[in-house]
Amino acid sequence: MMMAMGASLTAEQFQRVQAFLADEEARLSLFWILDKDGKIRRFAPNMAQRALGKGLREHTRHLVLKARQLGISTYSAMYALGKMLFCQNYKAAIIDKTQEDGDEKIDKMRFAYENLDYVPENPTRRDLELAEIGRMIKEYHGPIVKTATRGRYCVLSKTNVLAFMRNKSSIRARVTYRGGTIQFLHVSELGHISVKEPKRAQEVVTGSYNSAGKNCTIIAESTHEGGKEGVHYQQLLAAMDNIGKKLNKVQFRFWFFPWFRDPGYVIDEPQDLSDADREYFAGIERICNVTLTDKQKNWYVSMQQTQRSLMRQEYPSTPDEALSPIMDGTIYARQIMALRESGDLTRSFEPDRYRPIYTAWDIGFSDFTSIWWFQPTGDGRWLVLDNYTANREEQSHYIDIMREHDAKWGRCACVYLPHDGGSHNNTGTTYAEGMRRAGYTVRNVKRRSNTWVGIDNARDLLRNCIFHKRCSEPTRLGVKTYLSGVEYLTLYRTENERQPLHDDSSHAADAFRTFADAIERGLVSPNRGYESHGGRLGRMDRVVEDYLD
């Protein structure tokens, strides 16, 4: 290509152009894009784009956790276009959450190519020089046509494959890719795909990544959805575990770009900041070692009014925020967010040894079993001490876990079992009988006929809870790892308008609801911590009285 262009250049000009086009970062200035306001402007990489560009020159695979609208997908498109223009047989692919989204990225590349020779109003000398180089590039590759043909043509097919016939380079957009060897793969919004289409997300990892080959450049960029589970979450964990380590060619380098790194996220008009807002910003400044301007705070508070519970998913300040989003349709979204903002989701404290401790259960004989530990504060609030969730374990296993906690905090005053506590376990006795034989006082809590009444009870309980930070830690059982109780509550969501989804997260949520129903039915007092029978003490009350004496 350089020889063809050199025919109209002096030797000195040719060398200058050759050096310019050999610089992958510098040659991006050839391209024009449409900005957020629909205005044409020369592509000038921002902070996040420049950092990623430097990383691409050092390593091949990159996993980017980001805030919205930082331009990583635009940078990926311009990077791929530059490679295709100046490399022989360069094959690239885009995997996106929808075909339409992928086609839009191809269209950005088409726009940039067609405007290589664009001259703006009142051009500078540099504008004229870049436009002349762009004209020669277009002359070399030829115009974009719709039908495949030989010669100096670029083909944009009906299926949105952009191909440069002169040097046999091309890029295609798909919702999945498992084909021939490629040199560049851009995966966009794997976080969304992981939640909405988990099988397709798995196909990206097992199919597309493997098809790419170890020398293929991969940019996988996404905001995160789905909390601490799913393909995207596992990919992020693996990349984060490699921070600071020497990477081989098939390992991903982790990137995180918070919202406050974008200079455009500012608003001049002053906004009213609540005490919670001020506390949040102070925490971010301390954790991230940054100083947020008033204009940045104005922008964040304004955006939060519309984004609400999705703000920290779409515009995270830290990786932990990004990995703990509130999903669409989650049942306890507002309560969990309020607890997180107040700090009551990860407190450190010791149980009061003079007050009783209770457990609430959801039972699965061949499924998940989940246990929560509660203690009243005496002023209507509840300390949530721990959660233990596991799958396909015998009742004896959970009794052992109970005794381990008894040894630390004192004996559990009462075990609250759900409606199926009277069902028989695999030893021929009921679950309730098994717990009584182990020495525990047991109460079966009758479920509400209307599930949503019980869910409302659980929401009321959440508003009055203080969670110990261990509730946000996963349960580890041998080689198995289960999500934390807080994460299960966060993920609990609706299947449709009438019914919660029954999945792995529903068991811990149901166990929590068991205790909320017990309180609402008067089986346990939020102030004293034990039920009253008009002055007459039942067996459970005598046990509790012993704790209080």
Side-chain angles (χ1 to χ4, degrees), residues 73-192:
S73 63
T74 299
Y75 182 87
S76 300
M78 297 303 104
Y79 174 87
L81 178 59
K83 284 288 192 177
M84 288 190 299
L85 290 176
F86 306 115
C87 298
Q88 290 285 334
N89 302 305
Y90 194 84
K91 308 300 182 188
I94 298 169
I95 297 174
D96 218 321
K97 61 182 180 181
T98 68
Q99 186 63 50
E100 182 180 357
D101 290 321
D103 292 345
E104 287 180 1
K105 293 175 176 60
I106 295 287
D107 196 57
K108 286 183 180 181
M109 301 169 76
R110 175 202 59 78
F111 182 88
Y113 178 78
E114 290 185 335
N115 286 278
L116 278 170
D117 54 354
Y118 174 78
V119 178
E121 292 184 12
N122 303 314
T124 64
R125 179 179 176 181
R126 178 171 177 268
D127 288 330
L128 294 173
E129 289 178 345
L130 291 174
E132 178 60 19
I133 295 173
R135 182 194 64 77
M136 290 187 286
I137 293 171
K138 289 179 68 175
E139 182 180 296
Y140 174 83
H141 282 290
I144 292 180
V145 297
K146 294 291 185 181
T147 305
T149 183
R150 294 181 180 180
R152 296 185 182 184
Y153 292 99
C154 311
V155 179
L156 183 60
S157 70
K158 293 181 180 179
T159 56
N160 257 14
V161 176
L162 179 60
F164 297 94
M165 306 304 291
R166 187 74 184 274
N167 65 348
K168 297 181 175 60
S169 293
S170 64
I171 187 168
R172 66 189 65 227
R174 297 287 185 267
V175 294
T176 187
Y177 182 84
R178 188 194 286 262
T181 302
I182 55 177
Q183 287 73 53
F184 177 80
L185 176 63
H186 175 200
V187 180
S188 185
E189 297 304 332
L190 185 60
H192 178 88

Side-chain angles (χ1 to χ4, degrees), residues 227-347:
K228 297 180 180 178
E229 66 175 1
V231 171
H232 190 238
Y233 177 67
Q234 295 302 325
Q235 292 288 301
L236 287 170
L237 280 190
M240 293 171 73
D241 285 344
N242 288 327
I243 293 175
K245 299 177 182 177
K246 184 176 177 60
L247 303 177
N248 61 42
K249 288 188 175 183
V250 298
Q251 291 175 318
F252 280 86
R253 179 176 177 181
F254 175 75
W255 298 85
F256 174 69
F257 295 115
W259 66 271
F260 52 77
R261 296 299 184 194
D262 189 324
Y265 289 163
V266 292
I267 286 180
D268 292 331
E269 293 78 14
Q271 303 294 312
D272 292 330
L273 271 62
S274 65
D275 290 342
D277 292 330
R278 294 187 183 91
E279 184 178 352
Y280 173 73
F281 291 134
I284 294 305
E285 290 179 327
R286 182 178 63 257
I287 294 170
C288 301
N289 193 28
V290 297
T291 300
L292 300 176
T293 67
D294 289 340
K295 293 181 179 180
Q296 286 177 309
K297 296 175 183 178
N298 293 339
W299 176 88
Y300 189 93
V301 171
S302 298
M303 288 296 293
Q304 191 170 235
Q305 292 173 359
T306 55
Q307 296 295 309
R308 302 182 70 82
S309 63
L310 292 176
M311 186 65 184
R312 297 188 188 183
Q313 171 182 304
E314 302 298 304
Y315 300 97
S317 298
T318 65
D320 184 63
E321 278 189 8
L323 296 178
S324 302
I326 302 297
M327 297 168 55
D328 289 343
T330 50
I331 291 172
Y332 299 130
R334 187 174 299 176
Q335 293 75 29
I336 293 293
M337 182 60 71
L339 287 166
R340 182 171 283 122
E341 291 177 348
S342 68
D344 286 339
L345 207 59
T346 53
R347 295 289 187 190

Side-chain angles (χ1 to χ4, degrees), residues 13 29 32 89 93 106 115 138 173 183 189 200 216 263 363 427 464 466 477 489 535:
Q13 288 174 329
S29 60
W32 293 87
N89 302 305
I106 295 287
N115 286 278
K138 289 179 68 175
Q183 287 73 53
E189 297 304 332
R200 180 156 73 93
C216 175
I363 301 168
T427 65
N464 293 290
I466 303 170
L477 180 58
L489 287 178

Side-chain angles (χ1 to χ4, degrees), residues 28-48:
L28 293 176
S29 60
L30 286 166
F31 302 136
W32 293 87
I33 62 172
L34 292 175
D35 64 16
K36 297 176 183 178
D37 298 320
K39 297 179 180 179
I40 186 171
R41 68 171 179 86
R42 190 177 298 283
F43 180 63
N46 60 29
M47 174 280 303

